[in-house]
Amino acid sequence: MSTKPFFVSSPGKVILFGEHSAVYSKPAIAAALDLRAYLLVKPSEDPNIIRLDFPDIGLSHSWNKNDIPWTKIKEYVQAKEGKPQISEELIPEIIDLLSDNLNVPGMLYSVRSTLPIGAGLGSSAAIAVCLASAMSILGGHVAKASVDYDAKSTSKNHEDEEFIDKWSLMGEKCFHGNPSGIDNAVATHGGAVMFQRMKNPAAPSVRTNMRNFPPISLLLTNTKIPRSTAALVAGVSALNTKYSKTSASILDAMEHLANEAYQVMVKPFFGPEETRTLRELTEINHGLLVALGVSHPSLEKIKIIGDSHRIGATKLTGAGGGGCAITLLNENVSKAELDNSLEEFEANGFETYRTSLGGKGVGALYYENVQEDKREEVFSEIAFTKFKDREEIIQALGVQNVSGWKFW
Ligand SMILES: Nc1ncnc2c1ncn2[C@@H]1O[C@H](COP(=O)(O)OP(=O)(O)OP(=O)(O)O)[C@@H](O)[C@H]1O
Ligand SMILES: C[C@@](O)(CCO)CC(=O)[O-]
Ligand SMILES: [Mg+2]
């Protein structure tokens, strides 16, 4: 258990194929984004106070440790070899997780994110993974992260990542009830995956790493229309109940589509024919998501703009209903066509990002891995909460910029 301050960080994701159908045990393909959440954990000035500080959403809350009925709560905690165990029900797990704080002094948990919130890029999962990894460090349930940013993933400590992945799913359950687990899996492990939740909820999901993820040229466009994943997942569930056979066919089509995309993406040679197939599958996937009722006029607008300038294939990504769309760009798209689209996106109030996919998963920045004369500045709560924008956070803490970040 560490009582020195530390940071943890985990990435957002882009779902290329299979959002929503992933909830119904169909395969889906997603990759880690270079936008991330950062969580600072620091001993409280008053050791009896547990404080959450989430300035991005204007939330700050404190508990006095002595007001929490720890002894009663502990009766519900199941542990194996000292590690808290995950079960299917949510409530006991939350209690269990909280009870990990029994043996640590009061802590401050402060979160900042470079991810747009509620925009389909897995902002909730990145937070859930940060919290799960911080609790795992504090509870002594994982080994110290020790793999450098540039090191090959073969030396990864899989057991610890699996532990964090499982517990972060509990966090995602708090956010939206019935998550497939794909977002927190990518936020934990990074890279790119084919993911499938099992029909039996007790069985672990299947995750196939896609090591040779093809170099896809991708544009991300944010409608900035806020929406909630919980509401959209509930909407699809209602559609399934009302039109069960029709909706089952749509979900089956999504399954075939994700499988076809996977076959193309793992080919040793990824040329123009393969990228064209992916674009065609992207178009079909968007159509199926529209049929499930999770698009939005602003997402359709992005699609119309992209299609009219012929820049590539556009689909919504994540839960939809607003948030972001992705465009798989044509290889031969002209600069003029692209610039015209970007101008139109901007004129409509949309924000575009050029991003790279397949980056690092969860990582930690420990106190002792920061140069002594820089520690005070790096772990300053005041500086952390006051960063103005994404660029300031990335410059001061970015896993790719700041030496000392370690991974499992
Ligand atoms: N920086 C942050 N600080 C605090 N809470 C956050 C932050 N980012 C995300 N959240 C939490 O996550 C919620 C948004 O999660 P939601 O699942 O609806 O969208 P998303 O994860 O961004 O998109 P998707 O699930 O489609 O990938 C917010 O309402 C908030 O509770
Ligand atoms: C909509 C959804 O498929 C993806 C949200 O990013 C929900 C989930 O899989 O948990
Ligand atoms: Mg989410």
Side-chain angles (χ1 to χ4, degrees), residues 106-347:
M107 287 279 173
L108 156 79
Y109 301 88
S110 184
V111 162
R112 298 294 309 272
S113 186
T114 62
L115 284 154
I117 298 172
L121 303 182
S123 71
S124 63
I127 303 289
V129 170
C130 280
L131 286 167
S133 56
M135 297 294 172
S136 304
I137 290 173
L138 288 169
H141 304 308
V142 291
K144 211 171 166 203
S146 59
V147 180
D148 287 332
Y149 181 77
D150 292 325
K152 284 225 160 65
S153 60
T154 44
S155 55
K156 279 184 151 189
N157 189 332
H158 295 293
E159 204 185 298
D160 289 339
E161 278 199 345
E162 294 303 334
F163 186 79
I164 293 168
D165 183 357
K166 283 193 182 129
W167 274 104
S168 62
L169 180 62
M170 292 299 152
E172 275 282 83
K173 284 189 180 178
C174 296
F175 286 121
H176 59 94
N178 188 18
S180 63
I182 187 169
D183 292 6
N184 56 288
V186 175
T188 304
H189 304 279
V193 286
M194 170 89 147
F195 177 95
Q196 191 164 10
R197 172 192 209 176
M198 291 293 100
K199 289 206 170 98
N200 169 5
S205 17
V206 177
R207 213 183 56 245
T208 312
N209 289 338
M210 296 169 70
R211 288 192 192 283
N212 297 323
F213 197 67
I216 299 166
S217 187
L218 196 78
L219 189 71
L220 255 176
T221 309
N222 187 355
T223 61
K224 299 202 202 145
I225 303 288
R227 85 300 171 282
S228 126
T229 298
L232 287 145
V233 169
V236 174
S237 167
L239 196 87
N240 279 344
T241 309
K242 192 164 178 191
Y243 305 105
S244 56
K245 285 190 179 155
T246 305
S247 136
S249 298
I250 299 173
L251 296 172
D252 283 347
M254 288 174 157
E255 172 177 14
H256 298 310
L257 188 146
N259 281 327
E260 282 180 48
Y262 179 76
Q263 292 309 327
V264 171
M265 291 170 106
V266 293
K267 275 191 180 177
F269 177 74
F270 193 81
E273 180 59 31
E274 284 71 24
T275 49
R276 188 168 65 243
T277 305
L278 280 194
R279 285 197 298 273
E280 286 166 2
L281 292 171
T282 300
E283 300 283 4
I284 300 172
N285 200 164
H286 182 75
L288 294 171
L289 288 162
V290 171
L292 286 183
V294 296
S295 190
H296 183 274
S298 63
L299 287 164
E300 295 307 311
K301 193 153 209 172
I302 292 174
K303 193 159 170 53
I304 290 167
I305 295 172
D307 288 356
S308 58
H309 292 288
R310 297 182 195 184
I311 60 169
T314 300
K315 74 177 262 292
L316 70 85
T317 189
C324 288
I326 52 171
T327 304
L328 270 67
L329 295 172
N330 291 331
E331 303 104 318
N332 51 4
V333 61
S334 75
K335 188 175 174 321
E337 282 172 321
L338 197 55
D339 286 349
N340 288 340
S341 295
L342 294 180
E343 241 172 64
E344 265 194 67
F345 289 148
E346 202 184 321

